């Protein structure tokens, strides 16, 4: 009897010692010289995962990690994905992250005013994002996404979009399109009673021009007012960004008089009314400026060179402003 008790006591001591060792090991943070990113593929065995974590210095023993996972019943619960590990993570915290699917989150940003071609290239270059837009162009993008039968320029709201490795580029575009629908709907519902624009799509076109003309919120409503008055009076918009968009790859950074005289659907010096499509992605303030343009009498404006604009009521005033701020460069 005494011998049995002694054996049981010895076993208890050993088991307790092992348990205590494992608890101490599993709770002790390990130090990394620099952050480490690993990708766990679907169906990968826990043994393989443990060996990779050990090779990268995230833990010091694949065998102990597997034993700890078995103790906690986690060997079959690891989620696939991209994980980033930094210093001072214990083996238990590593296991917690692998089981919870606390994967690395990436982001891609659509900037106010950027064209669809720029957005598409960003999605192509975004790390970990599956690019499924090989045959997509600005003309067919909405149709191929099953969203609408319309031109795609200006249809994706400028914002930061988060994704995880394996997400599709088309999913980002759908989210951006839905966000633009919401913002455009809100803007249209809050439009001025005497707005010169006949539809939400015309608002989108106007907002895209305002977005390109100025980055200053205080000037955008005034610019919207100039364009609104021009439309109402039958004047041409005469906006350089629209002409530049129409030139496409032929634009070399220098807008010439010949460019302004060359007829085309986006040449607002040669044609009345709005261009046929937006020329970029407008943000919230540009949309608001399009639906609630500033009041006043100005029919012209010119960039001062410091980001702001000089507004003028008459052509003579405008020509003087052009000579002051652009031809001579005086500030």
């Amino acid at each position: 009897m005494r011998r049995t008790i002694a054996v049981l006591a010895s076993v208890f001591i050993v088991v307790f010692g092992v348990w205590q060792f494992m608890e101490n090991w599993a709770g002790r943070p390990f130090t990394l010289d620099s952050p480490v990113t690993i990708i766990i593929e679907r169906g990968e065995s826990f043994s393989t995962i443990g060996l990779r974590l050990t090779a990268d210095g995230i833990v010091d023993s694949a065998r102990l990690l597997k034993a700890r996972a078995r103790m906690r019943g986690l060997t079959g619960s690891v989620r696939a994905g991209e994980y980033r590990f930094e210093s001072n993570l214990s083996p238990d915290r590593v296991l917690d992250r692998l089981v919870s699917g606390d994967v690395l989150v990436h982001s891609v940003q659509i900037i106010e005013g950027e064209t669809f071609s720029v957005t598409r290239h960003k999605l192509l270059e975004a790390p970990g994002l599956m690019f499924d837009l090989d045959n997509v162009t600005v003309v067919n993008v909405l149709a191929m996404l099953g969203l609408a039968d319309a031109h795609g320029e200006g249809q994706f709201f400028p914002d930061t979009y988060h994704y995880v490795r394996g997400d599709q580029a088309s999913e980002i575009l759908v989210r951006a399109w839905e966000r633009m629908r919401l913002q455009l709907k809100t803007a249209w519902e809050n439009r001025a009673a005497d707005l010169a624009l006949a539809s939400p799509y015309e608002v989108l076109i106007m907002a895209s021009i305002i977005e390109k003309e100025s980055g200053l919120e205080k000037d955008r409503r005034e610019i919207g007012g100039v364009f609104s008055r021009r439309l109402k009076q039958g004047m041409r918009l005469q906006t350089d960004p629209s002409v530049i968009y129409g030139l496409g790859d032929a634009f070399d950074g220098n807008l010439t008089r010949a460019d302004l005289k060359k007829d085309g659907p986006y040449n607002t010096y040669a044609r009345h009314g709005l261009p046929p499509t937006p020329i970029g992605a407008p943000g919230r303030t540009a949309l608001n400026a399009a639906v609630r343009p500033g009041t006043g009498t100005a029919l012209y404006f010119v960039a001062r060179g410091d980001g702001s604009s000089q507004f003028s009521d008459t052509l003579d005033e405008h020509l003087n402003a052009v000579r002051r701020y652009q031809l001579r460069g005086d500030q």
Side-chain angles (χ1 to χ4, degrees):
M1 183 66 178
R2 290 181 178 178
R3 186 173 182 179
T4 302
I5 293 173
V7 171
L8 291 175
S10 297
V11 171
F12 174 79
I13 292 172
V14 171
V15 171
F16 179 77
V18 170
W19 176 82
Q20 189 174 49
F21 169 81
M22 183 61 77
E23 288 294 318
N24 290 336
W25 177 83
R28 186 176 69 251
F30 287 86
T31 301
L32 292 171
D33 293 333
S34 60
V36 176
T37 300
I38 69 168
I39 298 171
I40 296 177
E41 303 292 350
R42 195 178 303 277
E44 211 171 355
S45 71
F46 192 91
S47 295
T48 301
I49 295 169
L51 289 172
R52 290 172 57 203
L53 291 170
T54 303
D56 288 329
I58 297 168
V59 297
D60 65 349
S61 172
R63 179 177 57 83
L64 289 177
L65 186 69
K66 186 173 184 178
R68 182 61 173 176
R70 281 177 174 169
M71 287 177 61
R72 298 180 57 189
L74 303 178
T75 52
S77 302
V78 173
R79 298 188 182 184
E82 185 179 16
Y83 294 85
R84 182 178 176 86
F85 296 100
E86 299 180 354
S87 191
N88 299 323
L89 277 182
S90 68
D92 267 350
R93 282 290 297 121
V94 171
L95 288 172
D96 289 341
R97 290 188 61 184
L98 294 177
V99 170
S100 67
D102 184 14
V103 296
L104 182 62
V105 177
H106 298 277
S107 65
V108 62
Q109 189 174 27
I110 300 176
I111 303 296
E112 288 87 349
E114 79 180 28
T115 61
F116 174 74
S117 64
V118 173
T119 300
R120 184 182 183 278
H121 183 71
K122 284 183 178 179
L123 296 176
L124 174 64
E125 297 294 319
L129 190 64
M130 290 181 59
F131 188 77
D132 57 342
L133 304 171
D134 285 332
N135 299 316
V136 168
T137 68
V138 69
V139 175
N140 68 16
V141 56
L142 294 182
M144 294 192 73
L145 293 176
L147 299 175
D149 184 17
H151 197 276
E153 196 67 84
Q155 301 276 6
F156 305 101
F157 189 71
D159 207 343
T160 299
Y161 296 89
H162 299 285
Y163 66 93
V164 299
R165 183 179 183 84
D167 284 353
Q168 295 181 322
S170 58
E171 296 170 350
I172 302 290
L173 289 184
V174 171
R175 286 157 55 193
W177 181 83
E178 290 173 344
R179 198 164 298 180
M180 181 61 85
R181 293 307 95 199
L182 177 61
Q183 295 295 332
L184 185 57
K185 178 176 181 292
T186 300
W188 180 250
E189 290 172 350
N190 289 281
R191 67 190 183 277
D194 61 344
L195 191 65
L197 306 173
S199 68
Y201 191 65
E202 288 193 358
V203 169
L204 195 63
I205 296 173
M206 177 62 79
S208 74
I209 297 173
I210 295 171
E211 186 72 68
K212 289 285 192 177
E213 284 285 8
S214 177
L216 290 182
E217 184 172 355
K218 69 180 183 65
D219 280 356
R220 285 179 171 176
R221 288 194 65 225
E222 295 303 316
I223 291 172
V226 169
F227 288 143
S228 177
R229 285 184 286 277
R230 280 178 164 264
L231 287 176
K232 289 178 178 179
Q233 295 183 29
M235 298 174 66
R236 293 168 182 164
L237 294 183
Q238 297 183 321
T239 173
D240 292 355
S242 180
V243 180
I244 292 170
Y245 181 85
L247 291 173
D249 293 338
F251 180 63
D252 61 3
N254 181 36
L255 192 62
T256 66
R257 290 182 181 274
D259 293 329
L260 299 181
K261 293 179 180 179
K262 190 182 303 180
D263 187 35
Y266 291 91
N267 189 341
T268 50
Y269 284 83
R271 298 192 182 189
H272 288 83
L274 295 168
T277 73
I279 60 173
R284 188 177 293 107
T285 60
L287 288 169
N288 291 337
V291 296
R292 301 199 71 84
T295 58
T297 55
L299 292 171
Y300 307 87
F301 66 93
V302 64
R304 290 194 179 107
D306 62 356
S308 65
S309 301
Q310 177 68 35
F311 297 90
S312 303
D313 288 359
T314 67
L315 180 58
D316 286 342
E317 291 175 356
H318 176 62
L319 293 176
N320 286 334
V322 169
R323 283 190 289 270
R324 178 181 180 188
Y325 292 110
Q326 291 196 345
L327 298 183
R328 290 207 325 245
D330 295 340
Q331 300 300 314

